[in-house]
Amino acid sequence: MEISIDQDKCIAAGQCAAAAPEVFDQRDEDGVVMLLTSVAPDGAEDAVEHAVALCPAQAIRCQG
């Protein structure tokens, strides 16, 4: 599963980092999402899909 983010849409809610910390983090200075990997690690697909569903700004996309 490939993952992409739109940092311009991010409102720093942090739901993604809480749902899938192995894939998402937040910048210290403003809380905007950072992508740690563009491909979901094995076993993290459900967590990534949950993060996509939780994102209030719809700033995360995944394919595959």
Side-chain angles (χ1 to χ4, degrees), residues 12-58:
Q15 299 298 317
C16 56
E22 63 277 14
V23 177
F24 305 102
D25 200 356
Q26 291 179 277
R27 293 191 305 218
D28 290 334
E29 62 271 11
D30 58 8
V32 170
V33 65
M34 295 186 313
L35 192 58
L36 301 177
T37 179
S38 62
V39 178
D42 289 339
E45 294 87 356
D46 287 344
V48 170
E49 288 177 358
H50 186 63
V52 171
L54 289 174
C55 182
Q58 299 179 343

